[in-house]
């Protein structure tokens, strides 16, 4: 007898239906084979399914058993086929009778028959809703994750025997209700802007960075507060919308990084990889490509501390995602695209010892050749994709010891940032844009008109600062954000003047 159950697998960030065909025949020797280009985890499902069936009180067929995962030419990985295979065996062997047509079945089995947490459930639930499947059977532990979307066909299952009791009409399974989305109103962060002494210009640059999603590089000697400033950035970032939360949660679901008690990610990600990370760990990859740090930082912040210490290859692979907001990973088995619309925050020293051009008690001990080689670790094309350059000088001892007066906290700054983002949301209502930094040239021409005085200032800046065409556009985008923070509809020369302050030449 042949049984057919529809399951699902994630390929990249999308889900693909997989038909699990199970054939139990008395002809031939007793065996158990799984075909259909499954990986090691799929192959090991044989032992998990065998033990789960026996420990759930059923009989495992002592016949020739063949499981086919169709389409057979699509590579399959993961543990989500366990439940579908077990159900197919029980139906094919006559121990269960239920019509699973129009249903999706996903879940990993424990040896005792209970269902374990399975990655990628949110993507599968979105697929089930889009394709209008009537039922989605999944592990109970993943029910809250699937309930993020408004889909009424979710059936949480505790174990294989629990599912058998449901199809036998001995128990009823309550559908998981959809949870309404509520944005975060009570922010609680470890770092606050009011705790940073001095560095007013750097704080202002961080505000612009948060308001427009602009990339920023902080350059200064050791101990000047570059890392502290970067770690404070999440405290002034605006609230996430439902669409942004779903996009980020989907990525974390695929990677198995969600918490079952609170699966929906409502805080913007802040990724802080070490400089020893490989280029595949940074942008994603592997035999079966998975998202890297830049995708995990989608709609959030990627902080690269000690930028010049990162391998050259790891930095160069950032060029495409910084420009396009997406990373394409090509392998022999195919090409996958992962979203990577993140804000890059980088911190670096001016030289190996960190005290180049320092006029305080520290003196640079590096030779000109060492300084040149150190600075050339960061290529010009990568630096050209940075919107804001900020020099972070050492903090004067007087500012460290004196009592601070009225200092803005992160909450006050975040309110201005949120208003600026609201202006951008209204401006880009008919566009597939969220922040000013995402604007292309056509959007700059449409939404950032300049006065004749503003054009003259930019012309002089091109000659004096050596701006590239990309740098020219970035100055206008930053000026647009500065105008949004000021609540101004048009860009004036003051906004352009401040934007040009953050487009200084970098020592090469």
């Amino acid at each position: 007898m042949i049984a057919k159950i529809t399951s699902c697998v994630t390929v990249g960030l999308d889900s693909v239906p997989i038909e699990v065909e199970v054939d139990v025949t008395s002809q031939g020797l007793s065996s158990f084979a799984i075909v259909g280009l499954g990986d090691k985890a799929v192959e090991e499902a044989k032992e998990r399914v065998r033990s789960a069936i026996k420990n759930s009180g059923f009989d495992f067929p002592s016949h020739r058993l063949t499981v086919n995962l169709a389409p057979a030419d699509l590579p399959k990985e993961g543990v989500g086929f366990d439940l579908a295979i077990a159900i197919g065996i029980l139906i094919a062997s006559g121990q269960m009778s239920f019509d699973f047509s129009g249903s999706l079945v996903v879940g990993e089995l424990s040896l005792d028959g209970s269902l374990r947490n399975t990655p990628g459930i949110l993507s599968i639930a979105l697929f089930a809703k889009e394709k209008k499947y009537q039922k989605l059977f999944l592990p109970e532990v993943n029910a809250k994750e699937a309930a993020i979307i408004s889909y009424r066909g979710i059936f949480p299952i505790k174990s294989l025997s629990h599912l058998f009791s449901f199809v036998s009409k001995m128990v009823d399974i309550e559908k998981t209700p959809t949870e309404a989305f509520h944005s975060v109103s009570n922010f609680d962060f470890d770092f606050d802007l009011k705790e940073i002494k001095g560095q007013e210009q750097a704080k202002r640059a961080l505000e612009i960075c948060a308001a427009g999603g602009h990339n920023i590089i902080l350059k200064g000697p050791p101990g000047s507060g570059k890392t502290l400033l970067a770690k404070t950035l999440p405290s002034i970032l605006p609230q996430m919308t439902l669409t942004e939360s779903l996009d980020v949660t989907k990525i974390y679901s695929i990677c198995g990084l969600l918490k079952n008690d609170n699966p929906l990610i409502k805080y913007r990600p802040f990724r802080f990889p070490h400089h020893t990370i490989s280029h595949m760990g940074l942008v994603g990859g592997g035999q079966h490509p998975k998202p890297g740090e830049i995708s995990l930082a989608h709609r959030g912040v990627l902080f690269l501390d000690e930028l010049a210490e990162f391998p050259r290859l790891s930095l160069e692979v950032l060029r495409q995602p910084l420009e396009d907001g997406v990373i394409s990973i090509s392998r022999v088995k195919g090409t996958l695209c992962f979203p990577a619309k993140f804000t890059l925050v980088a911190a670096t020293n001016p030289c190996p010892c960190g005290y180049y051009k320092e006029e305080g008690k520290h003196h640079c001990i590096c030779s000109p050749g060492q300084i040149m080689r150190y600075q050339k670790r960061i290529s010009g094309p990568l630096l050209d994709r940075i919107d804001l350059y900020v020099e972070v000088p050492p903090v004067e001892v007087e500012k460290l010891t004196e009592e601070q007066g009225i200092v803005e906290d992160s909450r006050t700054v975040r309110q201005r940032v949120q208003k600026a983002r609201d202006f951008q949301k209204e401006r880009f209502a008919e566009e597939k844009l969220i922040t000013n930094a995402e604007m292309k040239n056509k959007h700059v021409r449409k939404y950032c008109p300049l006065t004749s005085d503003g054009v003259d200032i930019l012309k002089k800046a091109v000659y004096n600062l050596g701006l590239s065409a990309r740098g020219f556009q970035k100055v206008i985008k930053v000026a647009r954000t500065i105008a949004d923070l000021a609540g101004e509809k048009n860009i004036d020369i003051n906004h352009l003047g401040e934007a040009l302050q953050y487009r200084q030449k970098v020592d090469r």
Side-chain angles (χ1 to χ4, degrees):
M1 181 178 178
I2 296 179
K4 295 183 179 181
I5 306 294
T6 304
S7 187
C8 207
V9 66
T10 55
V11 179
L13 296 182
D14 299 320
S15 295
V16 178
I18 301 297
E19 189 172 49
V20 180
E21 300 175 320
V22 181
D23 179 32
V24 177
T25 177
S26 59
Q27 298 178 353
L29 298 176
S30 176
S31 63
F32 187 2
I34 298 179
V35 297
L37 283 184
D39 66 351
K40 187 65 175 179
V42 175
E43 181 68 21
E44 291 175 346
K46 293 188 291 187
E47 301 305 322
R48 293 193 297 272
V49 171
R50 187 193 306 271
S51 296
I53 289 177
K54 290 181 178 180
N55 293 326
S56 298
F58 303 103
D59 294 327
F60 190 82
S62 57
H63 301 295
R64 183 179 178 86
L65 199 157
T66 304
V67 176
N68 178 42
L69 305 179
D73 61 340
L74 176 68
K76 304 163 189 72
E77 61 173 332
V79 293
F81 302 112
D82 290 7
L83 182 58
I85 293 174
I87 292 174
I89 292 174
L90 294 179
I91 293 177
S93 61
Q95 301 179 68
M96 180 184 291
S97 178
F98 187 77
D99 183 11
F100 281 93
S101 59
S103 302
L104 279 182
V105 180
V106 181
E108 176 189 355
L109 285 171
S110 297
L111 298 183
D112 61 356
S114 60
L115 287 171
R116 302 170 61 90
N117 179 56
T118 304
I121 289 296
L122 179 58
S123 176
I124 294 172
L126 288 169
F127 172 80
K129 178 184 177 182
E130 178 185 352
K131 298 301 181 181
K132 298 181 180 180
Y133 281 90
Q134 297 176 359
K135 300 181 180 68
L136 171 60
F137 296 97
L138 48 73
E140 186 180 48
V141 69
N142 294 114
K144 283 189 175 181
E145 178 183 341
I148 292 174
I149 62 175
S150 55
Y151 173 53
R152 300 183 179 276
I154 301 172
F155 288 80
I157 306 299
K158 298 178 181 178
S159 63
L160 184 59
S161 57
H162 182 218
L163 178 60
F164 177 80
S165 299
F166 168 71
V167 300
S168 301
K169 297 183 179 180
M170 292 185 289
V171 298
D172 190 21
I173 297 177
E174 294 185 3
K175 297 181 181 179
T176 303
T178 302
E179 295 186 4
F181 175 76
H182 300 285
S183 59
V184 178
S185 57
N186 296 322
F187 290 84
D188 184 18
F189 297 97
D190 295 331
F191 303 94
D192 194 287
L193 281 179
K194 67 180 180 181
E195 300 170 359
I196 301 178
K197 303 291 182 96
Q199 306 296 10
E200 281 76 15
Q201 184 182 18
K203 291 180 183 178
R204 171 62 174 173
L206 284 180
E207 181 180 345
I208 299 171
C209 166
H214 301 288
N215 303 318
I216 183 173
I217 185 168
L218 305 171
K219 187 176 181 181
S224 57
K226 302 186 297 296
T227 302
L228 179 60
L229 284 164
K231 290 183 176 180
T232 308
L233 181 58
S235 67
I236 63 174
L237 291 175
Q239 296 177 350
M240 294 184 74
T241 63
L242 176 58
T243 301
E244 290 177 313
S245 292
L246 287 175
D247 289 344
V248 175
T249 304
K250 189 176 180 180
I251 297 172
Y252 278 69
S253 174
I254 296 296
C255 297
L257 299 177
L258 290 182
K259 297 180 180 178
N260 295 324
D261 56 339
N262 190 17
L264 181 61
I265 295 177
K266 298 181 180 180
Y267 291 94
R268 296 188 180 274
F270 183 83
R271 304 298 297 183
F272 188 6
H274 193 261
H275 63 260
T276 56
I277 189 173
S278 67
H279 67 279
M280 285 195 296
L282 190 62
V283 302
Q287 183 178 6
H288 299 283
K290 293 292 184 183
E293 288 292 332
I294 63 173
S295 294
L296 293 173
H298 181 62
R299 295 302 178 191
V301 176
L302 176 68
F303 176 40
L304 301 183
D305 200 7
E306 303 297 342
L307 184 66
E309 300 296 337
F310 280 78
R312 182 66 177 261
L313 179 58
S314 298
L315 295 181
E316 294 308 304
V317 295
L318 291 176
R319 291 191 195 180
Q320 181 211 350
L322 282 175
E323 195 74 14
D324 302 332
V326 65
I327 179 67
S328 298
I329 301 175
S330 298
R331 296 293 183 265
V332 174
K333 297 180 180 179
T335 300
L336 295 177
C337 293
F338 297 113
K341 292 183 179 179
F342 60 92
T343 298
L344 176 64
V345 179
T348 185
N349 295 322
C351 67
C353 76
Y355 298 107
Y356 177 57
K357 291 186 178 181
E358 177 69 23
E359 298 180 354
K361 60 181 179 180
H362 296 287
H363 298 283
C364 180
I365 59 174
C366 303
S367 66
Q370 288 177 316
I371 297 173
M372 183 179 297
R373 285 191 296 272
Y374 186 82
Q375 294 182 350
K376 282 189 174 181
R377 292 180 183 179
I378 310 172
S379 68
L382 179 62
L383 288 175
D384 199 41
R385 287 166 168 80
I386 304 296
D387 304 70
L388 304 166
Y389 298 87
V390 182
E391 294 285 344
V392 185
V395 183
E396 299 176 0
V397 64
E398 289 78 9
K399 291 187 177 181
L400 290 174
T401 56
E402 70 181 5
E403 292 292 332
Q404 296 191 94
I406 300 176
V407 181
E408 285 188 323
D409 58 7
S410 292
R411 180 180 179 182
T412 303
V413 176
R414 186 171 62 249
Q415 290 174 349
R416 288 201 300 269
V417 169
Q418 187 64 58
K419 288 182 180 179
R421 284 290 183 101
D422 291 339
F423 290 148
Q424 294 168 55
K425 182 179 180 181
E426 181 180 353
R427 178 184 305 125
F428 302 135
E430 299 179 357
E431 308 281 356
K432 294 182 179 180
L433 303 174
I434 294 181
T435 63
N436 289 331
E438 298 176 29
M439 287 191 293
K440 305 299 182 183
N441 292 349
K442 63 179 181 180
H443 302 123
V444 172
R445 291 192 297 268
K446 180 178 181 181
Y447 298 111
C448 305
L450 301 177
T451 63
S452 58
D453 292 339
V455 173
D456 292 338
I457 289 177
L458 284 180
K459 286 182 179 179
K460 294 179 181 178
V462 169
Y463 293 108
N464 295 332
L465 299 179
L467 293 181
S468 65
R470 182 188 288 114
F472 181 89
Q473 297 291 335
K474 286 188 176 296
V475 170
I476 300 177
K477 294 177 188 178
V478 173
R480 177 67 270 173
T481 300
I482 295 173
D484 289 341
L485 285 169
E488 300 290 341
K489 184 177 181 180
N490 299 318
I491 301 174
D492 61 28
I493 57 175
N494 293 327
H495 305 142
L496 285 171
E498 183 178 358
L500 286 169
Q501 292 181 9
Y502 303 111
R503 199 69 200 179
Q504 299 175 2
K505 285 186 177 181
V506 179
D507 294 332
R508 302 298 301 159

